Every structure is written in C-alpha cells, then in structure tokens.
Amino acid sequence: KQEVTQIPAALSVPEGENLVLNCSFTDSAIYNLQWFRQDPGKGLTSLLLIQSSQREQTSGRLNASLDKSSGRSTLYIAASQPGDSATYLCAVYILTGGGNKLTFGTGTQLKVEL
Amino acid sequence: DAMVIQNPRYQVTQFGKPVTLSCSQTLNHNVMYWYQQKSSQAPKLLFHYYDKDFNNEADTPDNFQSRRPNTSFCFLDIRSPGLGDAAMYLCATSRVRQSGNEQFFGPGTRLTVL
C-alpha cells in the first residue's frame, strides 16, 4: 500500500527566506506527482504537476523536483512571503484500470512571519 | 471558464438525517472522484466513477453512496450521518490520457453534523 510522508509537519520561517518542503513515498511505481496548497477551511489549489517523464517543474517562485527511484520529491519556495502561509500537500498518482488514484501526504503547515 | 463546482459550500445536517452533496463539471472529463478530508488529515479517496463505472474504495463505509446521472454531475449521498462524518468533501475530475491524467478539484463542501 502506497504511503506518502511529508516532513516537516510544520515550519515557521521569516519573510524572505528560501525553504524546502519534503515528500517521500514508499512505492516508486507512481505515475505523476502533484503539489497542492490548502488555506484554512478551503479546498485544494494545484501548484505544480510533475508528469511521469519529467524530473521537475517550475512556476514563479516555486520549483518542484521528483526522483522516482528514491521515492522523493521536494518543493522549493524562493523568497517566501506571508501570503505563502498555508498547508502544502503532495500527492502521488497511481494508474488503475478505472482511471487513476491520488494518495496524499498529511501536509506541511507553513507560516511565513513578517 | 471550465471548472469543477460544488454545492453547497457549507452544509449543516443533523445526526442521522440524510444529506446529499453535489458536484458538477464543465470540463467534459470522464472520471469523477469524491474525497473526504477530516480536520488536519490528508484527503482520502471514497470512490470514483470512470464514465458510468463505479469504483468503491475497500474501506469506504456503507453509509456513503454516490450517483452519476450524466457526465456533468456526481452526487455524494450520506444515508445516516454520524458525528464522525463531519469533514470537508472534495470533488475532482480528470480525463484519461489527457493533461497527464491530472485531477482538477472543486472548492469543497464543508459538512457539519449536529
């Protein structure tokens, strides 16, 4: 059974700092990996999707990398801002006969302080 | 804009009173998913439809059922809600072999059980 772990569970940093969030998964036979942002009490906002043939994706100040062989992904946030405060979830895709399934990690709760 | 819509955004029901949550999509995706996310936990897949084919997760309680009357709509029925069913319910869609099978999420419905 696929298990997804995110470390750290919570992180507090001063504004302007660069930071790395980690995601690991137990079964390397994944299809895609996706990073989401979730604000308190809200739904999921997609940040980056890394497809099976890719090793990284970039969007603005965000960069996500994927190493399937080691079962790891990282989300790099450059020059953090208070507006980046949220919970960040990673999720791995597994192909099934009926489409695909997502298994989520429990998230890293990020707080960026002024 | 093509999107995934969930109604209502907030739902309050009484213990044991049946409730239905609604999801609709304008993306013309053939797969629709329902996830449950309890407070401070990872989203957990309940079931999904691949076209008209229903796929139930093994550990989804019998209390939860789903209907997909057409491509655009999918409903989550909770027959006799208990206090433990209070959660955020997230609907997602995807199209097989399109956009890397990426899942697109709605804003969620927060269910409160009194």
Side-chain angles (χ1 to χ4, degrees):
Chain A
K1 178 184 175 185
Q2 177 74 265
E3 292 185 4
V4 181
T5 304
Q6 291 188 245
I7 295 173
L11 181 63
S12 182
V13 301
E15 182 180 13
E17 191 160 299
N18 301 326
L19 58 102
V20 175
L21 307 182
N22 296 292
C23 173
S24 61
F25 43 95
T26 54
D27 186 346
S28 62
I30 66 168
Y31 187 64
N32 299 334
L33 184 143
Q34 192 163 2
W35 284 91
F36 295 89
R37 169 187 172 135
Q38 188 171 35
D39 293 286
K42 304 294 185 182
L44 303 179
T45 300
S46 177
L47 297 174
L48 292 165
L49 172 74
I50 309 177
Q51 297 191 30
S52 58
S53 59
Q54 299 171 330
R55 293 184 66 87
E56 69 175 331
Q57 279 287 334
T58 298
S59 176
R61 295 182 293 109
L62 304 180
N63 175 274
S65 66
L66 173 62
D67 184 345
K68 290 168 67 174
S69 62
S70 67
R72 295 178 186 274
S73 176
T74 61
L75 178 66
Y76 175 82
I77 303 177
S80 58
Q81 303 171 358
D84 295 331
S85 298
T87 296
Y88 291 80
L89 296 162
C90 76
V92 299
Y93 284 72
I94 302 170
L95 284 178
T96 69
N100 63 74
K101 294 186 180 182
L102 273 178
T103 300
F104 284 85
T106 51
T108 293
Q109 189 171 3
L110 173 65
K111 183 175 182 181
V112 181
E113 299 175 317
L114 290 169
Chain B
D1 284 343
M3 57 198 306
V4 182
I5 302 162
Q6 291 189 243
N7 286 307
R9 295 290 305 278
Y10 301 90
Q11 176 73 57
V12 180
T13 190
Q14 293 179 336
F15 183 94
K17 185 175 181 180
V19 65
T20 295
L21 308 183
S22 171
C23 177
S24 63
Q25 52 121 346
T26 60
L27 297 162
N28 198 32
H29 284 174
N30 56 346
V31 191
M32 295 187 76
Y33 309 81
W34 279 105
Y35 292 85
Q36 179 194 60
Q37 185 182 25
K38 296 185 178 181
S39 181
S40 300
Q41 295 185 20
K44 179 178 174 298
L45 181 64
L46 294 173
F47 27 58
H48 72 280
Y49 275 94
Y50 184 160
D51 293 323
K52 294 182 179 180
D53 293 332
F54 177 69
N55 298 271
N56 196 36
E57 292 301 295
D59 54 357
T60 297
D62 293 339
N63 200 25
F64 290 84
Q65 296 178 332
S66 185
R67 296 172 283 133
R68 189 179 186 186
N70 53 53
T71 300
S72 301
F73 283 86
C74 193
F75 300 99
L76 170 61
D77 301 309
I78 308 177
R79 288 191 295 183
S80 181
L83 298 179
D85 296 327
M88 174 74 86
Y89 290 88
L90 299 164
C91 174
T93 72
S94 70
R95 185 156 192 86
V96 174
R97 289 187 292 278
Q98 186 177 81
S99 303
N101 293 301
E102 180 178 0
Q103 291 188 22
F104 294 81
F105 281 80
T109 294
R110 178 163 295 280
L111 177 67
T112 300
V113 182
L114 300 177

